[in-house]
Amino acid sequence: MHVHRFAIRGFAGASLIALAVSSVPACAAPRPVTDAPSPAGAAAPGPTVSGRVYDATGVALPGARIVVEATGLETTTNLQGEFTIAAPDATGDVVLLIDYLGRPRATRTIAAAERGRDVSFTLPAAGENADGSGTDIVVTGASLLDNTARALNQQRSADNTITVISADAIGRFPDPNIAEALQRAPGVGIERDQGEGRYINVRGAPSEFSAISVDGIQIPSVDPTTRAVDLDTLPSDIVANLEVTKSLLPYQDADSIAGAVNITTRSPFDRKGFALTGMAGASYNQFGKGSDYRGSGAISDTFGADRQFGLLLSGSYSRTHRRPDNVENTWSATPAGLRVTETLFKDYDTKRTRMAGTGAFEWRPSDATRVWVRGTYARFEDDEFRDRIGILWSEGTLQSGSTDRAATYTNTRIEKQVRHRKQINEIWTATVGFEQRLGEGTIRGDVAYSESSQTYPRRDELLFRSSLRPTLSYNFANANLPTYSLFTTNEHLQTGTYAFRENTYRSNTTKNDELTAAIRMDLPANETITLSSGGKYRERHISADEERFRDRRASAAPSQTLAGFLSDEESRNFDYNLGNRIDTGLADAYFDATKAASERRLPQSLTADYTAEEQILGMFGMAKYMKDGTTLIAGLRVETTNFKSQAPVVSRTGVVSMASGKSGYVDFFPNLTLRQAFTPNVILRAALSRAINRPNFPQLAPRVLETTEGNTVRVEFGAPGLDPTLSNNVDAGLEYYIRPLGVISVNGFYKDLTDYRYTVNSTGVYQGLPAIFSRPVNARQGKLYGVEVNWQQQLSFLPGLLGGFGVFANYTYTRGDAQFDAAYAGRSRFALPGQSKHMWNASVFYERGPVNLRVAYTKRSDYLDEINADNPALDLYWEGRGQLDVTGSVQLMKGINLFAEGKNLTNTAGVRYFGERYRVYEYEKFGYTLFGGVRVKL
């Protein structure tokens, strides 16, 4: 707990009351251009002009600069191409300049007769007139790189430092989920599971340091162990935009130390009138069974007398069937030094399906009023069978003469296991909101509910153990694929020596829901200053329930021997012959027949559970000054946090009681942000800000969780007194936007961390067995700093056909560490988990006529995964990996596009190791993927 936490609560309460009072005349900040059509600058009191900007196909153009030539006042369009800007007078003509990267600048004159209408006002195209309600600006010109143009125009017009990835850009890379799409952004690395991106690391920070929102509403994690959102649950083809905010503004939630990610779904007003898009295709995976496919579609329309209503529905479905190869080696300290004490050969057969959908109904009766109802749903199912051969070296005796790379054990044990695990993640959100202009001000309100859940309908295991106790050896001369004498002597293939050891069953259900209510308003004080303030209330409930069963009685043994369970299909990891696979149908039949009789494990079935409730009230006030290219924002955000948790505790005598944890604190988040536009295309940004990361829920719950994998026991302890991590941030960058389309930018950052949170591992004895203890602890001081360099450009200056080439390239350098008050194994300073020193992306593309080709390579360097408090040589690292992806498409006719993709063509492995690269803990390959299909856009 903070030392003065309770002392400042009274002062903080008074501050909140003051902010609430100030919110009467001005309750909220202007939104970024991705969120709403509020002015980017300070609007002068008086008449306004409203409109929309489209391309020639009727698709809205976000981020376009709209400048009143008579006054120099400017604003930008939102995702639906909408803008509102103050006019110099109520009766005269108004000349507007439209500046959009990737297209020629255009000017339009708005006649006095066309102003002041009640309907949404659109600006006239040159030389044409649509209907009585006005006409549209139709910006024409080269549009082959619309995806890049949409992103860069939004980035250029933003007040703070952001990175935008448009839906079209996502579609040009083989990125099936949100995590994979975000890896293309500067400073974003991803953590993978069986080759697919799951979590993101922004600027070298842990994954839970980045809050994830859908349409501005934070979504809770499906995983009970972390606040980080499993982004592999969300397919990439349901989104309109991905926006990574790297320097927060006062109106944004403060719980994003590294960067806030907002996933914007499609709106029916993204395009004029009726729109239909779709994609369908099939893929082949090197380590799969050839039955992968993916499809998505979206349909929308506007209707009503004045097209004031809009309706959109979208959906996505994908299925993959993969068989990645995996070998894991556990290294432990022995009297002879670090030696392998367990090896597990895991042969997976995994089916993954994703389903997602979005819906939106919007009503825009005038350019001053918007009302909307939006909803999203995503479901991820991972249905996995796993055959496993295990060598329990620690059950035997280490022989003399062993080295740190080769050893021989006598009297080892061999096990064969089958596991059927089915995991289901679900995330859904529902939002009702409005926006209303009141004179020169704007008020907006949202009420949203989001819910996520993770269930394991099956987590069933059947284990056989061989009666043989052979002498076995290993040699790590090739660390990736060591040699094991077992595959020469083949004792594991003697099926008649195996006997039933145990069955185990686990079921998990985690539910995480959040209710959000927010209101904000902005009001121009004069021609240069806008005052804003607002508030948001968030209430989250978490419940985690787990049941565990294990039966080693003879009555639980299957009627058939191991040989009777085997199919005629070979089980093989890399070049290791594991024998034959266990028949999945026979395994499920055994599980279904014995699950009810299996013995409930206590206290594990109780101590894994917990419930928690978190309430966050945030209020902010800020002022925005804008004149002659200078935008200066100063503000303060205050957030109060109240957290309660409960978890069962079982005494040594078996008495069950409930332990409670409770914390409450108030934090202040001052903010100063500068945007200096030396020219419309040369922009300096700088920011001083503060942010927070609250501990993961199970870290605060007063519980003890024990898990076992093979012969390795891990015990995780909660720490109700754990402090949140606070960060004081400095951000600065310079951007040069290149015409016709491109950007060169350099951004630096420094984060001064307080109470950085680590998970520290140590060894001990739990219930009579050697175990690894994991505890969260605070490191009082820390820092994280780095620099991002980004270059994107269409090389249109090259002659002839070479003008179709272009480049996307970015590089991020990050360093950081944290210091403990106490030393662990002589160390008090540690690197930050999840931090790669180097991350870079490089892509060369070619677009000319109907042809589009891209070659992309992404790479991150090694990063720390876990700290071992007893032995630095047992710190666990992920090896950095590079991946080569290729995409190509050809436009057959208007609206019809054929495409092909190649993903992970280098078949790069996923590797974890202890301390030194040769001490490989996990080596996994998941193969390359070839995907092809058709896109439709009407």
Side-chain angles (χ1 to χ4, degrees):
M1 306 290 288
H2 296 295
V3 176
H4 304 295
R5 177 170 298 158
F6 295 105
I8 66 175
R9 292 188 73 178
F11 173 72
S15 301
L16 288 173
I17 294 172
L19 281 171
V21 172
S22 71
S23 70
V24 173
C27 292
R31 294 173 305 284
V33 296
T34 57
D35 192 28
S38 60
T48 60
V49 174
S50 297
R52 294 186 176 95
V53 180
Y54 297 104
D55 69 9
T57 66
V59 176
L61 297 178
R65 290 178 63 242
I66 310 297
V67 183
V68 179
E69 290 198 336
T71 63
L73 193 67
E74 67 178 69
T75 189
T76 56
T77 57
N78 70 347
L79 271 177
Q80 286 75 54
E82 300 166 319
F83 68 91
T84 297
I85 193 166
D89 58 67
T91 59
D93 295 348
V94 178
V95 179
L96 299 181
L97 169 68
I98 301 95
D99 177 15
Y100 188 83
L101 290 172
R103 299 172 183 271
R105 294 185 179 94
T107 57
R108 298 292 183 267
T109 300
I110 310 303
E114 295 179 291
R115 298 171 54 180
R117 300 171 186 263
D118 293 333
V119 298
S120 179
F121 191 85
T122 55
L123 303 179
E128 65 179 24
N129 192 21
D131 55 30
S133 63
T135 59
D136 304 330
I137 297 178
V138 181
V139 182
T140 60
S143 60
L144 294 175
L145 295 175
D146 277 351
N147 48 9
T148 304
R150 294 177 203 284
L152 294 187
N153 278 283
Q154 292 173 75
Q155 292 172 198
R156 181 180 66 161
S157 61
D159 291 328
N160 51 339
T161 302
I162 67 172
T163 297
V164 176
I165 306 175
S166 72
D168 288 337
I170 294 170
R172 300 297 182 180
F173 291 101
D175 300 329
N177 66 50
I178 297 298
E180 303 246 353
L182 286 169
Q183 72 177 318
R184 312 294 175 181
V188 179
I190 63 174
E191 300 176 23
R192 297 178 181 271
D193 178 69
Q194 294 191 5
E196 293 187 332
R198 172 161 292 178
Y199 298 114
I200 61 170
N201 302 116
V202 179
R203 289 182 163 180
S207 53
E208 60 263 30
F209 275 27
S210 298
I212 309 297
S213 303
V214 174
D215 293 324
I217 303 301
Q218 277 202 33
I219 55 176
S221 170
V222 299
D223 189 330
T225 66
T226 179
R227 289 180 185 264
V229 176
D230 294 32
L231 290 174
D232 57 355
T233 301
L234 301 170
S236 59
D237 46 14
I238 65 169
V239 308
N241 248 21
L242 295 175
E243 181 181 293
V244 183
T245 300
K246 296 177 179 176
S247 62
L248 299 177
L249 291 174
Y251 61 81
Q252 295 178 287
D253 295 325
D255 51 354
S256 289
I257 289 178
V261 176
N262 186 40
I263 303 165
T264 305
T265 59
R266 296 183 177 98
S267 165
F269 290 94
D270 288 344
R271 190 172 173 184
K272 287 194 297 182
F274 176 80
L276 174 66
T277 60
M279 181 275 294
S283 66
Y284 167 81
N285 180 263
Q286 181 186 9
F287 285 36
K289 296 199 71 176
S291 57
D292 298 356
Y293 48 86
R294 190 166 85 233
S296 62
I299 185 170
S300 65
D301 201 0
T302 55
F303 55 94
D306 298 311
R307 295 280 180 179
Q308 72 269 37
F309 297 102
L311 181 65
L312 179 141
L313 296 172
S314 74
S316 170
Y317 181 85
S318 68
R319 182 182 184 275
T320 62
H321 191 174
R322 308 285 171 82
R323 288 185 167 179
D325 287 350
N326 179 288
V327 179
E328 294 182 6
N329 296 279
T330 299
W331 296 71
S332 304
T334 72
L338 295 182
R339 300 293 184 265
V340 177
T341 55
E342 181 177 70
T343 299
L344 303 176
F345 304 88
K346 299 179 178 181
D347 187 5
Y348 290 96
D349 189 330
T350 302
K351 297 177 183 177
R352 290 182 170 178
T353 58
R354 291 182 180 86
M355 297 174 57
T358 69
F361 176 76
E362 301 184 32
W363 179 42
R364 302 185 179 188
S366 71
D367 62 299
T369 304
R370 296 176 60 197
V371 180
W372 60 85
V373 178
R374 299 192 188 111
T376 65
Y377 174 78
R379 185 179 193 272
F380 170 75
E381 180 178 309
D382 187 349
D383 192 355
E384 172 189 284
F385 278 92
R386 186 193 70 187
D387 283 68
R388 191 191 79 191
I389 290 288
I391 305 175
L392 307 185
W393 307 95
S394 59
E395 295 281 313
T397 302
L398 179 66
Q399 299 300 288
S400 61
S402 65
T403 69
D404 57 355
R405 295 177 187 248
T408 298
Y409 286 81
T410 61
N411 212 34
T412 63
R413 282 199 183 275
I414 304 170
E415 295 180 335
K416 186 173 179 67
Q417 182 207 64
V418 62
R419 183 183 75 175
H420 185 188
R421 189 201 68 174
K422 180 181 287 189
Q423 173 188 334
I424 298 175
N425 296 344
E426 291 183 289
I427 299 174
W428 67 273
T429 66
T431 308
V432 178
F434 75 93
E435 178 182 286
Q436 179 66 50
R437 285 213 313 271
L438 301 173
E440 293 84 39
T442 302
I443 185 171
R444 169 179 170 140
D446 298 89
V447 176
Y449 179 81
S450 58
E451 181 178 303
S452 67
S453 64
Q454 183 177 83
T455 59
Y456 285 87
R458 304 192 79 119
R459 214 168 185 179
D460 310 339
E461 298 182 359
L462 171 61
L463 179 66
F464 294 90
R465 176 173 284 183
S466 174
S467 60
L468 300 178
R469 303 297 297 272
T471 297
L472 298 176
S473 61
Y474 63 79
N475 189 312
F476 275 70
N478 177 354
N480 292 336
L481 296 174
T483 58
Y484 303 91
S485 65
L486 176 67
F487 299 106
T488 300
T489 55
N490 290 325
E491 288 90 347
H492 66 296
L493 299 182
Q494 299 181 34
T495 58
T497 66
Y498 287 87
F500 168 76
R501 169 62 176 170
E502 67 180 23
N503 64 43
T504 59
Y505 300 101
R506 290 169 62 183
S507 63
N508 306 62
T509 300
T510 304
K511 183 180 178 181
N512 198 330
D513 64 72
E514 181 168 318
L515 176 67
T516 302
I519 189 166
R520 59 192 192 220
M521 182 184 290
D522 68 272
L523 180 69
N526 54 41
E527 293 185 356
T528 59
I529 297 176
T530 299
L531 299 177
S532 307
S533 62
K536 177 184 285 188
Y537 176 76
R538 298 163 53 194
E539 183 172 305
R540 180 176 290 187
H541 301 268
I542 309 99
S543 63
D545 179 62
E546 182 173 328
E547 290 293 326
R548 301 188 180 190
F549 300 85
R550 182 175 69 188
D551 203 337
R552 292 178 171 175
R553 298 172 298 180
S555 59
S559 58
Q560 66 266 56
T561 64
L562 172 60
F565 271 97
L566 298 180
S567 69
D568 57 1
E569 187 175 3
E570 186 179 59
S571 178
R572 180 176 290 274
N573 259 24
F574 304 106
D575 291 326
Y576 305 124
N577 178 14
L578 307 184
N580 284 6
R581 292 178 182 270
I582 290 179
D583 185 282
T584 57
L586 294 176
D588 275 347
Y590 168 80
F591 294 142
D592 295 339
T594 59
K595 187 178 298 186
S598 190
E599 297 181 313
R600 189 185 187 208
R601 296 190 68 187
L602 291 173
Q604 291 87 349
S605 293
L606 295 174
T607 55
D609 303 344
Y610 74 92
T611 61
E613 178 181 307
E614 183 177 71
Q615 298 171 334
I616 300 172
L617 174 63
M619 299 191 74
F620 76 92
M622 78 179 209
K624 177 178 178 180
Y625 168 86
M626 184 174 180
K627 185 176 182 181
D628 298 331
T630 299
T631 300
L632 184 65
I633 297 173
L636 174 68
R637 185 176 187 88
V638 183
E639 291 189 353
T640 66
T641 304
N642 288 287
F643 184 86
K644 299 177 182 178
S645 62
Q646 284 190 320
V649 176
V650 181
S651 70
R652 291 183 178 272
T653 60
V655 177
V656 180
S657 60
M658 289 299 277
S660 299
K662 188 176 182 180
S663 61
Y665 45 90
V666 178
D667 288 292
F668 296 84
F669 304 96
N671 186 287
L672 183 64
T673 298
L674 171 68
R675 179 186 185 272
Q676 179 63 55
F678 300 107
T679 73
N681 295 323
V682 179
I683 300 169
L684 170 72
R685 303 179 199 273
L688 301 174
S689 62
R690 200 167 195 238
I692 190 172
N693 173 252
R694 298 172 178 88
N696 296 322
F697 303 119
Q699 293 178 325
L700 290 171
R703 68 170 191 161
V704 178
L705 174 63
E706 175 259 323
T707 57
T708 302
E709 171 69 9
N711 219 32
T712 302
V713 179
R714 180 182 290 267
V715 186
E716 300 177 15
F717 295 88
L722 203 64
D723 289 333
T725 302
L726 292 167
S727 176
N728 296 316
N729 310 311
V730 180
D731 293 89
L734 186 64
E735 303 166 353
Y736 169 53
Y737 291 89
I738 307 167
R739 288 194 173 272
L741 187 62
V743 65
I744 297 175
S745 64
V746 179
N747 287 280
F749 60 92
Y750 183 92
K751 301 180 185 295
D752 179 45
L753 304 171
T754 303
D755 291 328
Y756 185 88
R757 193 171 58 257
Y758 276 91
T759 297
V760 176
N761 295 332
S762 59
T763 57
V765 177
Y766 180 76
Q767 295 185 349
L769 294 174
I772 299 172
F773 294 143
S774 295
R775 292 182 174 87
V777 295
N778 286 119
R780 297 301 167 186
Q781 301 177 11
K783 60 182 180 294
L784 175 65
Y785 58 92
V787 63
E788 298 171 352
V789 181
N790 182 36
W791 173 36
Q792 301 181 34
Q793 188 174 5
Q794 179 189 7
L795 306 180
S796 56
F797 56 85
L798 295 177
L801 295 177
L802 296 179
F805 280 103
V807 174
F808 289 81
N810 57 72
Y811 167 77
T812 303
Y813 172 86
T814 58
R815 292 297 299 270
D817 56 52
Q819 185 168 356
F820 289 93
D821 293 337
Y824 295 92
R827 300 177 297 167
S828 59
R829 188 179 297 274
F830 295 89
L832 304 185
Q835 175 198 295
S836 289
K837 186 175 181 180
H838 307 285
M839 292 188 293
W840 57 275
N841 290 280
S843 174
V844 177
F845 67 89
Y846 184 83
E847 292 181 320
R848 177 68 69 179
V851 177
N852 179 303
L853 298 172
R854 291 177 188 263
V855 179
Y857 188 79
T858 181
K859 171 75 174 180
R860 68 179 300 186
S861 59
D862 298 11
Y863 60 94
L864 180 66
D865 189 32
E866 293 180 355
I867 295 172
N868 188 285
D870 299 328
N871 191 337
L874 290 176
D875 288 348
L876 187 60
Y877 291 86
W878 275 103
E879 182 183 42
R881 66 184 300 275
Q883 180 168 306
L884 178 67
D885 304 320
V886 176
T887 63
S889 65
V890 60
Q891 196 81 19
L892 291 183
M893 61 185 70
K894 184 178 180 180
I896 306 296
N897 180 281
L898 293 181
F899 68 92
E901 302 173 349
K903 180 180 175 182
N904 191 29
L905 296 181
T906 47
N907 189 19
T908 310
V911 180
R912 283 193 285 176
Y913 61 90
F914 288 106
E916 298 290 340
R917 176 59 176 82
Y918 71 85
R919 286 195 289 268
V920 172
Y921 166 59
E922 179 179 17
Y923 186 79
E924 181 178 61
K925 280 198 170 184
F926 23 82
Y928 61 80
T929 300
L930 304 177
F931 181 68
V934 60
R935 295 189 184 97
V936 177
K937 190 173 185 178
L938 303 177

